[in-house]
């Protein structure tokens, strides 16, 4: 199927992540154009999901070209919300999507750290793309809390690939999402959140799902 293909990297990641590079290479070998926008937008400190959504939507062609979004972790969560908001999005591939992101992430920080973050407005977060600690505004949390999975009801063909040993977003989050949505196919993989050991398998599954030659 023709159309536009856009890859959305995860939280505190970049277009140069191992996963993004691997998928970029696979698309190039298949002679299919893939866009990988930098969702940090040179300002990770003021990242919000709302900002991500408007940035990605601005990448869409302004005709009715169908869009396939491939999203990793928080990029997967963003992809799902874009699929709900934009009829142009015709297909979703979600790699360990960050459903319930705040309820999985915040408890790991602990109550004290969260209260300090609220008070001081910024929290130092390790950014894998930059390989250093960067401040993140508490607006990220306030903004993210308004994005609820219950609102994602558009029947859009969706493929979820999730590792059974995911230590960041438990696979149960994807099971819960897929259970009530017959248009979602969930494939369990023997991997963790990074999915690094199953990339070849992921690519073959994407090829079939997207009907690439």
């Amino acid at each position: 199927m023709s159309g536009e293909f856009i890859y959305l990297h995860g939280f505190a990641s970049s277009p140069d992540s191992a996963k993004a590079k691997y998928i970029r290479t696979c698309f190039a070998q298949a002679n299919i154009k893939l866009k990988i926008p930098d969702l940090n937008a040179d300002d990770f400190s003021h990242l919000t999901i709302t900002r991500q959504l408007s940035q990605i939507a601005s990448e869409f062609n302004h005709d009715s070209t169908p869009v396939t979004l491939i999203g990793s972790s928080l990029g997967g969560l963003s992809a799902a919300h874009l699929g709900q908001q934009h009829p142009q999005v015709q297909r979703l591939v979600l790699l360990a999507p960050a459903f319930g992101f705040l309820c999985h992430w915040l408890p790991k920080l602990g109550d004290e750290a969260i209260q300090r973050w609220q008070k001081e407005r910024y929290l130092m977060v390790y950014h894998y793309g930059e390989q250093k600690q960067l401040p993140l505004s508490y607006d990220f949390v306030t903004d993210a809390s308004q994005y609820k999975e219950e609102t994602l009801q558009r029947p859009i063909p969706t493929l979820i690939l999730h590792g059974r040993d995911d230590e960041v977003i438990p696979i149960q989050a994807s099971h819960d999402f897929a259970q009530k949505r017959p248009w979602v196919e969930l494939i369990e993989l023997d991997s963790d959140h990074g999915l690094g050991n199953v990339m070849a398998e992921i690519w073959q599954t994407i090829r079939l799902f997207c009907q690439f030659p």
Side-chain angles (χ1 to χ4, degrees), residues 68-94:
T68 298
L69 296 175
I70 302 169
S72 168
S73 194
L74 192 69
L77 179 68
S78 295
H81 282 283
L82 284 158
Q84 180 66 31
Q85 295 170 7
H86 298 273
Q88 217 176 329
V89 178
Q90 301 277 301
R91 218 166 21 194
L92 296 173
V93 178
L94 311 178

Side-chain angles (χ1 to χ4, degrees), residues 157-177:
T158 302
L159 175 68
I160 298 179
L161 297 140
H162 208 130
R164 290 188 190 95
D165 303 317
D166 194 318
E167 70 293 0
V168 178
I169 305 291
I171 195 168
Q172 190 59 45
S174 283
H175 274 294
D176 294 345
F177 184 79

Side-chain angles (χ1 to χ4, degrees), residues 133-153:
Q133 300 272 345
L134 291 175
L136 178 65
S137 167
Y138 191 77
D139 292 344
F140 176 81
V141 176
T142 316
D143 179 78
S145 62
Q146 67 185 312
Y147 290 96
K148 310 268 191 248
E149 274 87 79
E150 304 86 81
T151 63
L152 302 172
Q153 297 299 336

Side-chain angles (χ1 to χ4, degrees), residues 14-180:
S14 80
D16 289 324
S17 72
K19 214 178 296 166
K21 281 178 168 170
Y22 183 88
I23 289 177
R24 181 192 285 128
T25 302
C26 292
F27 267 80
Q29 286 168 348
N31 285 322
I32 299 161
K33 190 172 179 240
L34 176 69
K35 284 185 188 174
I36 308 185
D38 184 352
L39 304 175
N40 300 294
D42 291 330
D43 184 15
F44 174 73
S45 295
H46 296 100
L47 173 74
T48 60
I49 290 176
T50 299
R51 188 186 84 184
Q52 279 204 120
L53 299 185
S54 60
Q55 180 188 347
I56 299 152
S58 73
E59 298 274 348
F60 298 172
N61 282 331
H62 294 302
D63 50 23
S64 53
T65 306
V67 175
T68 298
L69 296 175
I70 302 169
S72 168
S73 194
L74 192 69
L77 179 68
S78 295
H81 282 283
L82 284 158
Q84 180 66 31
Q85 295 170 7
H86 298 273
Q88 217 176 329
V89 178
Q90 301 277 301
R91 218 166 21 194
L92 296 173
V93 178
L94 311 178
L95 310 177
F99 295 133
F101 179 71
L102 291 181
C103 67
H104 298 305
W105 184 48
L106 292 179
K108 289 177 183 168
L109 295 176
D111 290 345
E112 205 177 304
I114 294 165
Q115 283 165 6
R116 194 163 56 240
W117 188 7
Q118 245 178 316
K119 198 170 125 200
E120 295 173 3
R121 302 305 300 158
Y122 288 92
L123 173 78
M124 296 306 285
V125 170
Y126 185 76
H127 193 288
Y128 296 91
E130 298 285 336
Q131 298 187 331
K132 63 181 179 186
Q133 300 272 345
L134 291 175
L136 178 65
S137 167
Y138 191 77
D139 292 344
F140 176 81
V141 176
T142 316
D143 179 78
S145 62
Q146 67 185 312
Y147 290 96
K148 310 268 191 248
E149 274 87 79
E150 304 86 81
T151 63
L152 302 172
Q153 297 299 336
R154 187 178 155 226
I156 170 172
T158 302
L159 175 68
I160 298 179
L161 297 140
H162 208 130
R164 290 188 190 95
D165 303 317
D166 194 318
E167 70 293 0
V168 178
I169 305 291
I171 195 168
Q172 190 59 45
S174 283
H175 274 294
D176 294 345
F177 184 79
Q179 199 180 3
K180 304 184 187 88

